[in-house]
């Protein structure tokens, strides 16, 4: 029986005993991943439906080929083959096949020959002008290019800085957040003095200070099905620096509908993905992931953490691809998904193919316009009140009173051990949310339970789970441990 090496992606490692790869016997890819799931029961529901079918947001590669374009689960395995599970990651996703490898020609950028550069500009761009691949003509293309960055966070920061430095004429920025102290670990557009300011005001100032020749156009709003086409339309290239699935699918779909290349990047803990989705020349994001994973199977960056330099690296790769597309030089990452692992310092490249039945970009596409993305991704509409109202809640002050009573509730902390180490409530019992289904026996139904997490979202989900399992006396701490620190115990750090 041949043995294959299965690469377990970071998000699934906690469910697979923490290993990054495992050698397993099996004659087919299906047999190998079913063995993996059998050895790690917690993985089962992530990989397979209740009917035992491989879930369609789980993409599996044999070496660098997507098994959907081989014999799917029946694809034979040879000794030494590598089977990779490539999860959809909201922090960025990939795509593209080498079919689009013929040298790039970007639509929409028509340099006019009359333009000249000032002495100051010739000096500023001299190291570009010396490159035969850029030169005066390429620098003009950069000056005439319009690039839209969706998200001015970890990925958008380095991308925006390098595009402005490179002399891109117009940079649109879509974001509506204010700068938070916790952003500064990776969002290098901002300084400590910017904390509390709207990101776009700070970003515009910083980028125009770097290059007064770059026009920065802020869109201080949430990208939505209502405004996306209008916002994207004037731009030549879209750079996806989003951190959630609804916006990622929206950016993909709007880019496909408008015929614009979408430079994709995503990050998770120590791993990044980069690709260029250009449906005219290759696949789109939906070709790779026809639908998103259910929200309870994907931790967000806020929950999972991310190495600060990782978005720097991935964002710089996105900026590189963007500049190449503008110049029409080199081989774009169309039809190719680049995976980067910072811990192992490895880059891997997978082939992406255009799905001949893609609902959006194929000849028989069924989707002709934008849809309701929060509903598609099974999450509450952006900006909507958190859905915690649907489960019983307790306010921090109220809980403080109950904990001093003769019959205090049992506190259950559903965060990760790393978060527990930052701060936790006295007497609490730690069961990370992902482990709750397997560890529910540790909780007694006889006692009142109060679940908490960082800000209240995970514990509300966990409360829903316990209610569904028949627990009756269970509530979630509204606002999480951060609200507790704010209202009850200011000695606890917020994070
Ligand atoms: Zn597609």
């Amino acid at each position: 029986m041949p043995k294959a090496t299965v690469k377990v992606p970071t998000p699934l490692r906690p469910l697979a005993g923490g290993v990054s790869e495992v050698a397993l016997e099996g004659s087919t890819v299906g047999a190998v991943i079913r063995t993996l799931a059998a050895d790690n029961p917690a993985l089962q529901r992530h990989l397979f439906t209740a009917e035992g079918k491989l879930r369609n947001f789980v993409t599996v590669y044999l070496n660098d080929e997507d098994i959907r374009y081989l014999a799917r689960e029946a694809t034979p395995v040879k000794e030494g083959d590598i089977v990779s599970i490539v999860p959809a990651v909201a922090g960025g996703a990939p795509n593209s096949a080498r079919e689009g490898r013929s040298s790039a020609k970007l639509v929409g950028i028509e340099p006019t020959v009359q333009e000249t550069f000032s002495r100051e500009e010739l000096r500023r761009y001299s190291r570009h002008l010396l490159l035969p691949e850029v030169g005066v003509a390429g620098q003009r293309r950069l000056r005439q290019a319009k690039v839209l960055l969706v998200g001015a966070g970890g990925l958008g920061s380095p991308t925006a800085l390098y595009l402005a430095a490179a002399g891109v004429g117009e940079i649109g920025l879509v974001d509506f957040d204010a700068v938070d102290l916790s952003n500064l670990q990776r969002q290098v557009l901002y300084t400590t003095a910017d904390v509390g300011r709207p990101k776009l005001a700070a970003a515009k100032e910083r980028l125009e200070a770097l290059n007064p020749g770059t026009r920065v156009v802020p869109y201080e709003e949430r990208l939505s099905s209502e405004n996306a086409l209008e916002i994207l339309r004037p731009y030549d290239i879209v750079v996806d620096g989003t951190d959630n699935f609804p916006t990622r699918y929206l950016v993909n779909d709007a880019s496909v509908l408008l015929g614009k290349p979408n430079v994709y990047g995503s990050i998770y803990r120590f791993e990044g993905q980069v690709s260029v989705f250009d449906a005219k020349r290759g696949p789109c994001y939906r070709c790779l992931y026809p639908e998103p994973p259910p929200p309870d199977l994907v931790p967000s960056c806020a929950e999972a953490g991310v190495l600060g330099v990782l978005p720097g690296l991935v964002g710089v790769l996105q900026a590189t691809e963007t500049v190449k597309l503008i110049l029409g030089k080199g081989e774009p990452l169309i039809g190719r998904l680049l995976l980067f692992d910072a811990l192992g310092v490895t880059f891997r490249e997978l082939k992406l193919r255009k799905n001949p039945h893609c609902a959006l970009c194929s000849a028989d596409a069924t989707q002709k316009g934008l849809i309701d993305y929060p509903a598609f991704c099974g999450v509450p509409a952006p900006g909507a009140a958190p859905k915690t109202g649907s489960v019983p809640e307790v306010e921090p002050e109220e809980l403080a009173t109950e904990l001093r009573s003769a019959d205090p509730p049992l506190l259950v902390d559903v965060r990760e051990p790393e978060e527990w180490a930052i701060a936790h409530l006295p007497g609490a019992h730690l069961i990370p949310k992902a482990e709750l289904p397997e560890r529910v026996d540790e909780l007694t139904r006889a006692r009142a339970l109060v679940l908490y997490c960082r800000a209240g979202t995970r514990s509300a989900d966990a409360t829903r789970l316990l209610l569904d399992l028949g627990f009756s006396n269970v509530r979630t701490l509204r606002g999480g441990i951060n609200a507790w620190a704010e209202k009850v115990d200011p000695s606890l750090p917020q994070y």
Side-chain angles (χ1 to χ4, degrees), residues 95 252-253 256 277 279 282-290 353-362 365:
N95 113 14
N252 177 71
D253 293 4
V256 172
F277 294 111
C284 79
Y285 183 67
R286 277 176 187 268
C287 293
L288 180 61
Y289 296 113
R353 293 183 189 271
K354 199 170 177 76
N355 176 354
H357 308 295
C358 177
L360 192 76
C361 78
S362 67

Side-chain angles (χ1 to χ4, degrees), residues 14 269 303-304 413-421 430 432-435 458:
R269 294 193 170 189
E303 286 174 30
D413 187 324
V414 299
R415 301 171 304 154
E416 300 299 315
E418 295 77 18
E419 299 178 86
W420 170 273
L430 175 66
K433 187 185 134 197
E435 297 173 17
R458 277 173 287 169

